[in-house]
Amino acid sequence: MEFLRLIPFLILPVLAKMPPLITLEEHYLSSATPDAMKGLFKEQVKFVPNIMEKLKNLSSLRLADMDKGDVTLQVVSHAAGLGSYPANYSRAANNQVYQAIKKATGRLAGFATAPMSRPAEAAVEFRRAVTELGFVGALVDNHDGKGGYFDGEEYDAFWAVAEELDVPVYLHPTWPSDDMAPRFQGNFDSIASNSLGSSGWGWHADTGLHVLRLFASGLFDRRPKLKIIAGHMGEMLPFMLQRIERLSGRWSTTQKNFTTVYRENIWITTSGVWSLDPLRCILASTPIDHILYSIDYPFTSNEVGLAWFKELEASGLVSQEELDAIAYKNAEKLLRVKV
Ligand SMILES: *[C@@H]1O[C@H](CO)[C@@H](O)[C@H](O)[C@H]1NC(C)=O
Ligand SMILES: *[C@@H]1O[C@H](CO)[C@@H](O)[C@H](O)[C@H]1NC(C)=O
Ligand SMILES: *[C@@H]1O[C@H](CO)[C@@H](O)[C@H](O)[C@H]1NC(C)=O
């Protein structure tokens, strides 16, 4: 009996153990990146200390930063903007990540970047990165650089690779194209315009829209096993879900409705949004095995993410099992990796 009373004390420290963390929206900048592209980060350079140094580093600086945030495995992907350049830039970038993964002995994995402005070549590079370099999926810019999205038939070869190789595609926000930019300008400073078009609002809304466009085009009927990841707590979709479900019933003739697509084909990450409020909404609407921890390094720090994760752990919002799922188990399953 004495022994039985001790059991909770023996078990509790084990339960309170922090799970390992896998992160999926973690960027770098290839040394083969065109100079014109580096200018895109001028706002971040102003506000995030040492951002360029961190973006370019795939070795000890990155690994030390991972240690600071208790990140066990980081899935590396290129920063936004490369998809509008010729395929050789994507190839060079993916090859650099491949070399870094080999050196980092189990700490890094890769999401392919692809020249989305050239759909046929994007499909070829995506396949090469997964089959020859061992990448675990792709992370691509949200449009082709000129505002073209990927619901057109010319992208079917690209989506076919994802379905056939059973790897996810992370739709990642990118800057407004020239025709989109004016709608973010107004009676305010250009710093506000740039932010409104990008991380301050616009590119998140645009990525959520893209998911809905893919749905409207019937892509998930044609490719029922497709796995799409949306970062930043789901790019506004979870909050709008009820309205989308109700109104999208009027759109067309897709066999699977949006409720089913949302449950079966969409995964979301926590990247760069450090509040429990959106997560409360997500936990109510999203299957628990489709919610993944992520940072958005180096645009936000691994330490900030870890502080949020500890807040989540202490909040009582999720059970230990759910916490483990969000931290690493869902990612292990989705990406077929092990930590
Ligand atoms: C990465 O960071 C390490 C440690 O700061 C440094 O020694 C190395 O030169 C950096 N690599 C690059 C490519 O900047
Ligand atoms: C890609 O090809 C263009 C045109 O041939 C060339 O100017 C550029 O240096 C190449 N970039 C890389 C990273 O190979
Ligand atoms: C969506 O489809 C599923 C499966 O057919 C069905 O159970 C559900 O009621 C539908 N939801 C809406 C909002 O129509």
Side-chain angles (χ1 to χ4, degrees), residues 17-29:
K17 207 176 145 221
M18 266 289 291
L21 297 171
I22 300 179
T23 58
L24 291 85
E25 194 193 312
E26 322 305 326
H27 305 297
Y28 84 108
L29 208 53

Side-chain angles (χ1 to χ4, degrees), residues 57 59-61:
N57 203 296
S59 59
S60 33
L61 175 59

